[in-house]
Amino acid sequence: MLADLAEKFESSSRRYAEVNGIERDPDWYLLKLQEEMGELTQAWNRVSGRGRSKGKTPDELKQDLADETADMLGHILLFARRNHIDLDPAIERKWRFRL
């Protein structure tokens, strides 16, 4: 199930890297995940009133939070794919439900 979604993120990420001259070496996947976590934290701080809204409306701030959450999901799937981690059985094992 997640492999199909991961493949879509991979295709998009590969195109982005090619257009922008980015080398996605093994470290890039973890470093990018960390970068995205920082951006998600910033978005959360803005939504929760702990950061400057930069003139954005509450709806715009929530959209930013959703966008950064989507980035995190994408980069988690990219990291797992790059490292040959099959998330389906891991989720079933750790979260105790079937996908």
Side-chain angles (χ1 to χ4, degrees):
M1 179 182 130
L2 293 174
D4 292 338
L5 185 57
E7 183 56 38
K8 290 178 182 179
F9 279 108
E10 170 59 27
S11 178
S12 181
S13 177
R14 185 182 324 109
R15 280 191 312 271
Y16 179 85
E18 288 170 0
V19 166
N20 292 287
I22 296 169
E23 179 186 351
R24 298 182 311 153
D25 65 8
D27 289 341
W28 178 87
Y29 292 86
L30 185 59
L31 294 171
K32 190 66 178 171
L33 186 58
Q34 183 65 38
E35 176 187 340
E36 295 301 336
M37 185 64 200
E39 291 175 8
L40 178 60
T41 302
Q42 285 180 325
W44 174 252
N45 282 344
R46 289 183 183 120
V47 165
S48 65
R50 294 181 185 97
R52 295 179 296 125
S53 66
K54 296 186 175 183
K56 292 187 176 186
T57 67
D59 286 343
E60 290 172 323
L61 294 174
K62 284 204 166 204
Q63 183 175 343
D64 288 349
L65 183 63
D67 290 350
E68 296 305 333
T69 301
D71 281 350
M72 278 297 296
L73 175 61
H75 283 285
I76 287 169
L77 292 175
L78 288 170
F79 177 82
R81 185 178 184 284
R82 170 71 167 129
N83 290 288
H84 310 287
I85 298 168
D86 187 351
L87 286 175
D88 288 349
I91 289 169
E92 290 175 6
R93 185 175 54 253
K94 290 292 290 183
W95 287 85
R96 300 177 189 230
F97 63 81
R98 297 193 58 76
L99 293 174

